[in-house]
Amino acid sequence: MASGQIFKVLVGVVVFLVVAIWLLAKLATSGYNVDAEVMTKEAVAARLKPVGESKASDAPPGMRTGEQVFKAICISCHGQGLAGSPKFGDAGAWGPRIAKGWDTLTQHALQGFNAMPAKGGAADLTDDEVKRAVAYMGNAGGAKFTEPPVGGAGGAAAAADPATVGKKIYESVCVACHGSGAAGAPKFGDKAAWAERTKVGLDEVQKIATKGLNAMPAKGGFGGSDAEFRAAIEYMVNAAK
């Protein structure tokens, strides 16, 4: 076979392979309509974030404001209006949503709607925290919603309730050591260990814990109010009675 013929055959083979690869690629992606906006780095990162993970603030669970939840969670999409979400502060985009009413908006936020997962993907948010975020964003878009008060209807008094706030603080902060009795901490529910420490009285226990003791940092690393910290102590003590 002449060299010219060999060259033509080789070129034909290369062209055939290129066309075949192109056809296979088209076949593999047929039926997909890729939205460039949804494929931005921000949108992809938001969708890849582990479900249930949220860093809304240093506030104890249940105590986060609408602004705190928005800045840590909702902003990933609503900050720029990604994936069809109404952009923060865009009255035109929020108007039709607000017109549906508070109940519909909060239901969509809690249960998920279109591309948005339930609670924006942050499963550890309480229902009231999600509602506060809805109110915060809605009000920035022209609504006049009222955020559920932090701490519930009782305000600050409810925030110091051992059975509610104390439990939440324990589960988010104190459990790291008290859950297993690590670093010499009295284990949760261990009556003997807690009796030894509480015989001086709860006020003294709080003073000691507030300053920190041995391996335990001040307030166990909790950054909330003294009343909330006291609620966590009472919750743990009550569990050991």
Side-chain angles (χ1 to χ4, degrees):
M1 182 180 294
S3 59
Q5 291 178 319
I6 294 175
F7 177 75
K8 291 180 180 179
V9 171
L10 290 175
V11 171
V13 170
V14 171
V15 171
F16 171 78
L17 290 174
V18 171
V19 172
I21 292 172
W22 180 80
L23 289 173
L24 287 172
K26 290 288 288 183
L27 178 64
T29 58
S30 63
Y32 290 90
N33 181 22
V34 179
D35 186 340
E37 183 183 61
V38 176
M39 293 305 294
T40 60
K41 291 188 295 181
E42 294 82 0
V44 172
R47 292 195 297 275
L48 291 179
K49 182 176 62 177
V51 173
E53 175 187 335
S54 70
K55 300 288 185 181
S57 74
D58 292 330
M63 302 296 109
R64 292 164 285 202
T65 67
E67 182 179 8
Q68 289 172 328
V69 174
F70 166 75
K71 288 183 176 179
I73 308 299
C74 315
I75 196 173
S76 61
C77 286
H78 289 283
Q80 296 297 323
L82 301 180
S85 63
K87 184 178 180 180
F88 183 79
D90 185 338
W94 277 97
R97 274 92 171 175
I98 294 170
K100 294 180 180 180
W102 169 253
D103 290 341
T104 298
L105 276 180
T106 55
Q107 181 182 9
H108 288 170
L110 290 170
Q111 299 179 3
F113 187 69
N114 293 334
M116 183 181 77
K119 295 186 176 181
D124 65 324
L125 292 175
T126 66
D127 288 359
D128 275 353
E129 286 175 324
V130 174
K131 291 177 181 178
R132 291 179 201 134
V134 171
Y136 176 74
M137 291 187 288
N139 292 345
K144 294 183 179 180
F145 298 136
T146 300
E147 287 192 23
V150 173
D161 178 21
T164 55
V165 175
K167 180 176 185 291
K168 290 175 181 177
I169 295 171
Y170 165 76
E171 292 176 345
S172 63
V173 181
C174 314
V175 70
C177 291
H178 290 284
S180 61
K187 186 177 179 180
F188 184 79
D190 186 332
K191 294 182 179 181
W194 279 98
E196 178 65 25
R197 288 161 173 81
T198 57
K199 62 185 180 182
V200 296
L202 282 180
D203 289 342
E204 188 63 25
V205 170
Q206 182 175 358
K207 287 180 183 178
I208 294 171
T210 298
K211 294 179 180 179
L213 179 67
N214 298 328
M216 175 184 168
K219 284 189 175 182
F222 173 62
S225 69
D226 289 345
E228 291 167 335
F229 184 56
R230 171 66 174 242
I233 294 174
E234 290 187 20
Y235 172 73
M236 290 186 284
V237 170
N238 291 341
K241 288 182 178 179

